[in-house]
Amino acid sequence: MNTPAKLGAYALGLAVIFGGALGAGSAVGSAGVVPIADDHGAHPAPSPGRETNDHGAHAETAPSRAAVSAPAPGGLQVSQDGYTLTPETTEIKPGEATDFRFSVIGPDGGPVTRYQTKHDKKLHFIVVSRDLGGFQHLHPEPAGDGVWSVRLTLPEAGAYRAFADFAPEGGPDLTLGADLRAGGAYEPGQPPAPSRTSTVDGYTVTLDGDLVPGKSSRITLRVGRDGRPVTDLQPYLGAYGHLVALRAGDLAYLHVHPDGEPGDGRTQPGPEITFYAEVPSRGDYRLFLDFQHGGVVRTADFTLHAGQGAAPTTASTPGPSTGPSEHGEHDH
């Protein structure tokens, strides 16, 4: 091979090598990639495809555009799209009611003061224990100047995760998350075992349906009391039930949409409440259903395994339940 030909082949080889490196760098730098986790919640390293160039050399190829642009689940970040969840309360004592205050700082550096109404509220505030055994769905009140205030009790010492679910006027739907701690010694627990039945305050709620990673899954919950179906559920947050789904391990917050709404002419007030959920990966998920009956909001909780096959299920052991707080909310 003459000298010009050798130089041309060398330049082509460099182009293939650096092109592969650029593709790999773009994949690593993308915050939107959500790989499928294994059954233990671990995320395997990406395995890019390989292609052969004209000289027999192998070069790494970049992931598909769909993989790179896949959005990450909500609640994993304290800041997104220029909005930042900023807690102002720094000390929380276990078992004591605290006036918990926070604000959302917008892209202009100031607190957000105008919000869209979603599910009958300007902002939803969810607090869960890190082991996903405890759950509270609260609705803070504006305290002025963009500050939100809510009466919060963390029942025991330990680590908790708070989620602010909202949409600023003119902005996107967001779920931002922040860690909370109640001081004192504690033993970290494990999420409850898989279960499709939950009992709370004399009500029994059963769940039908499976979570399939990457697909919209139909989940139906049936509410009964004293062996009879409940057919007069009351609207709560614009539906006959409100469902929150969280991924065990990282507590990714998933939006779940109800099928129908009260007064639409087809949605019945029980005993069935249907939702559609889409989970991003295999693994265990905790589901919390808020439903209202007799003027009281109660919470039923479940653990589901999302994977290629249905995981064995066991009957749940009812946990302690408290009545509604002064704002009509609850802690389960």
Side-chain angles (χ1 to χ4, degrees):
M1 182 182 295
N2 58 31
T3 298
K6 289 181 179 179
L7 290 175
Y10 180 69
L12 178 59
L14 286 178
V16 171
I17 293 171
F18 283 108
L22 178 59
S26 299
V28 171
S30 173
V33 178
V34 185
I36 296 294
D38 63 22
D39 289 341
H40 302 286
H43 292 278
S47 300
R50 295 172 66 85
E51 62 182 18
T52 304
N53 63 24
D54 292 339
H55 300 276
H58 292 284
E60 301 294 340
T61 60
S64 69
R65 181 180 299 274
V68 172
S69 61
L76 298 180
Q77 303 178 88
V78 71
S79 183
Q80 182 181 345
D81 296 339
Y83 296 89
T84 302
L85 175 60
T86 307
E88 296 186 2
T89 304
T90 58
E91 183 178 359
I92 303 176
K93 295 182 179 180
E96 294 187 13
T98 301
D99 180 19
F100 187 83
R101 293 178 171 240
F102 65 94
S103 59
V104 177
I105 304 302
D108 62 356
V112 178
T113 59
R114 300 175 68 87
Y115 293 80
Q116 303 175 45
T117 299
K118 298 284 185 176
H119 302 293
D120 290 345
K121 297 291 182 179
K122 298 286 188 181
L123 185 145
H124 299 262
F125 194 66
I126 308 294
V127 178
V128 297
S129 58
R130 270 285 173 181
D131 61 10
L132 289 175
F135 173 89
Q136 298 181 60
H137 184 170
L138 307 172
H139 295 113
E141 295 292 335
D145 299 326
V147 176
W148 293 92
S149 175
V150 65
R151 204 71 175 164
L152 173 64
T153 300
L154 300 182
E156 299 177 347
Y160 296 80
R161 185 73 172 171
F163 302 93
D165 188 356
F166 63 94
E169 283 195 2
D173 290 349
L174 293 170
T175 302
L176 303 180
D179 288 331
L180 306 179
R181 289 188 179 276
Y186 73 99
E187 289 287 337
Q190 295 295 324
S195 171
R196 292 174 177 267
T197 302
S198 179
T199 303
V200 52
D201 294 345
Y203 293 82
T204 299
V205 186
T206 57
L207 185 152
D208 182 43
D210 294 307
L211 297 176
V212 180
K215 295 183 179 179
S216 180
S217 303
R218 181 185 175 97
I219 301 295
T220 300
L221 300 113
R222 295 179 176 86
V223 183
R225 185 181 187 186
D226 299 328
R228 299 179 179 179
V230 175
T231 59
D232 57 345
L233 292 170
Q234 298 166 323
Y236 177 63
L237 302 178
Y240 288 119
H242 186 274
L243 189 66
V244 169
L246 298 167
R247 181 168 60 186
D250 62 0
L251 275 62
Y253 183 102
L254 307 176
H255 290 275
V256 183
H257 304 285
D259 181 23
E261 59 184 22
D264 63 5
R266 65 179 183 86
T267 304
Q268 300 299 313
E272 296 184 350
I273 316 170
T274 299
F275 298 87
Y276 288 90
E278 184 169 338
V279 298
S281 66
R282 294 187 293 269
D284 289 338
Y285 290 82
R286 287 282 285 158
L287 279 67
F288 299 92
L289 170 72
D290 293 331
F291 65 96
Q292 184 168 243
H293 188 245
V296 179
V297 176
R298 297 173 174 87
T299 302
D301 61 293
F302 311 86
T303 303
L304 287 188
H305 181 84
Q308 295 179 342
T313 61
T314 58
S316 66
T317 301
S321 177
T322 62
S325 71
E326 60 190 72
H327 294 293
E329 304 303 335
H330 47 275
D331 181 6
H332 181 75

